[in-house]
Amino acid sequence: MHKEGEIRVIALGLIRNGDKIFVSEGYDPVKQEKFYRAMGGGVDFGETSFEAVKREFQEEIQAELKNIRYIGCLENLFTFNGKPGHEIIQLYECDFVEPKYYQLERQEFTEGERKKIAVWVDINRCKSGELKLVPEQFLDYLS
């Protein structure tokens, strides 16, 4: 886990399948709201963000990525569970190597102690605000 008051550098992978994107589901107990965000995680010291996005998908859901293309950098200031957070996000567009990942309804995985779920969600439900996609600037990459 990162320390409070620290800026965290993370690498996220944007994976599309038609009008759906592959995201992990989160829940903020303080705001009592569900949210979705692209899969990925922290960049380790001495590792590039490109390497980090590949490693995170491998660790979390045992998936290999291909066609990994850098698409931009986002800065995200947010509050989660009542605490302020600050992230620099290196965003990559990518594809799964194995077709089976495109058939999944939901994929359970663990991140440290936490059980998490990854799902395909409809981009239009995110754009309409029905589903909360974080960070919101993410929607700019889904046009």
Side-chain angles (χ1 to χ4, degrees):
M1 282 304 288
H2 58 290
K3 295 190 285 295
E4 211 170 318
E6 209 171 74
I7 299 173
R8 194 160 171 246
V9 178
I10 64 172
L12 300 181
L14 182 61
I15 301 181
R16 301 175 73 133
N17 186 14
D19 56 1
K20 291 188 162 41
I21 52 167
F22 192 74
V23 289
S24 70
E25 191 177 286
Y27 181 74
D28 188 323
V30 172
K31 296 177 192 164
Q32 297 191 341
E33 75 180 0
K34 195 186 277 187
F35 62 89
Y36 297 90
R37 88 172 214 177
M39 300 265 306
V43 178
D44 292 338
F45 185 82
E47 170 184 62
T48 64
S49 58
F50 181 90
E51 290 164 343
V53 81
K54 284 172 69 167
R55 175 184 52 75
E56 286 284 343
F57 273 84
Q58 187 64 59
E59 284 176 5
E60 292 179 351
I61 59 168
Q62 291 73 58
E64 294 285 338
L65 299 177
K66 65 178 181 180
N67 304 328
I68 305 170
R69 304 171 297 285
Y70 179 73
I71 53 173
C73 183
L74 300 178
E75 190 162 7
N76 186 25
L77 296 163
F78 61 97
T79 304
F80 173 71
N81 204 8
K83 294 196 168 79
H86 189 171
E87 297 169 333
I88 303 292
I89 301 168
Q90 296 287 58
L91 186 59
Y92 290 87
E93 199 165 32
C94 38
D95 299 314
F96 286 121
V97 170
E98 293 176 64
K100 70 172 186 185
Y101 287 99
Y102 291 102
Q103 312 305 322
L104 292 173
E105 277 301 301
R106 52 195 280 131
Q107 165 88 29
E108 294 187 17
F109 66 98
T110 49
E111 193 176 68
E113 299 295 296
R114 296 174 300 173
K115 287 221 179 305
K116 309 267 299 259
I117 296 166
V119 290
W120 287 99
V121 298
D122 190 311
I123 291 169
N124 295 313
R125 292 178 69 198
C126 296
K127 286 183 176 172
S128 71
E130 182 192 340
L131 299 178
K132 184 176 172 70
L133 188 65
V134 298
E136 277 166 26
Q137 311 102 284
F138 219 80
L139 291 167
D140 300 342
Y141 294 91
L142 297 175
S143 50

